Amino acid sequence: MTTRRHALHTLALASAAAALMALSAPAGAQSQKLKVGLMLPYTGTFAALGNAIENGFRLHVTELGGKIAGREVEFFKVDDESDPSKATDNVNKLVKRDNVDVLIGTVHSGVAMAMAKVAKDTGTILIVPNAGADAVTGPMCAPNIFRSSFSNWQPGYAMGEVVAKKGHKKVVTITWKYAAGDESVKGFKEAFEKGGGQVTKELSLPFPNVEFQALLTEIAAAKPDAVYTFFAGGGAVKFVKDYAAAGLKKSIPLYGAGFITDGTLEAQGDAAAGLLTTLHYADSLNPPRDNAFRLAYAKTYKLQPDVYAVQGYDAAQMLAIGLNATKGDVSKKAEFAAALQKAKIDSPRGAFTMSKSHNPVQDMYLREVVGKENKLVSVASKGLTDPARGCKL
Ligand code: PHB
């Protein structure tokens, strides 16, 4: 009898403890580790970009003592290979298998659109640390989706104004045929044609091909006043070298979204000298905030930072701003979004704010390649805001 009474007593105690635990579950959940899912390219033409984003993100987490809003950060990683056909399966590995609290990714616009769809369907917080797909902060915009980088329209539009002001009239464009290339060219064309120029030919090749020769021959034959381009990563290295080797650099000035020369100068060597590009970062901005970031990054990784490192760093800053407002609770999405909406994000690129569609409102810099640096020439476009066409937020 006593054993039975003892057993019942134990049972009652156990269920009381269980009830208590259930009551305190939300607080318990927040004292648990924060599971951060990194979906980035670690192989292929964008591998260096993925690594720089992760480095930047981790640098800020380290500055925060390894914790965001009191929760120790635990990383889960997937190599998305910049392959849109694998993107939905890859993002579901993080969301369904690993049960991550937040998603950070990615570089490639096509892959990012699949991530945005899953984030929208599941309500998971997503911060995009590169991919510029206009749709992510356009028709697909959502209360739980944010970008720490840019829209493809932004650097393109800024360069369209620059090239028009230089008095060039006829421009040929060349890029990869996918969302990022198409939208970068579209942004360029919008501003360039508004400024009196004309895009006479739009050349492209499939991503991530680098067989540029036939297209360079077409450019030589067309003899435009200038060329506008979007390439990035390994493809950008080869394009700039091939453009110079074909003898075009001397006769037809090449302009680009800044990705063409960001993180690539070491490999491009002299072929990149003097190129003018537009981007939301430069190597010689020189405010104390950027200098401190560059020093910390170089010390930690024995590498110079680039725009991708900055975007990764700022994704971590944004996550911390949002989660500090919710005391680490990822389910409080309205509070998370409200905190970011009113934040001034203290980026190495210069402070920026979030547009209503959750894309950075930021300065676009005109830069020139001098030595191994994308040197600041001027602010091409101050506080440039993506038009966010199709976003209903
Ligand atoms: C993109 O696919 O959106 C993309 C990729 C690489 C860049 C910029 C944009 O450097």
Side-chain angles (χ1 to χ4, degrees), residues 46 49 107-109 130-133 150 152 178 180 230 232 259 308:
F46 292 157
L49 289 60
V107 169
H108 183 287
S109 273
N130 182 71
F150 61 94
N152 290 321
Y178 81 111
F230 166 89
F259 313 107
Y308 310 104

Side-chain angles (χ1 to χ4, degrees), residues 46 107-110 113 132-134 150-153 156 173-189 202-205 207 228-232 257 259:
F46 292 157
V107 169
H108 183 287
S109 273
M113 284 194 268
D134 291 345
F150 61 94
S151 73
N152 290 321
W153 179 90
T173 63
I174 178 165
T175 188
W176 279 313
K177 186 85 208 131
Y178 81 111
D182 291 345
E183 293 168 0
S184 183
V185 165
K186 221 169 141 200
F188 172 83
K189 192 171 167 176
E202 297 183 27
L203 301 173
S204 63
L205 73 173
F207 175 88
Y228 173 77
T229 189
F230 166 89
F231 289 109
F259 313 107

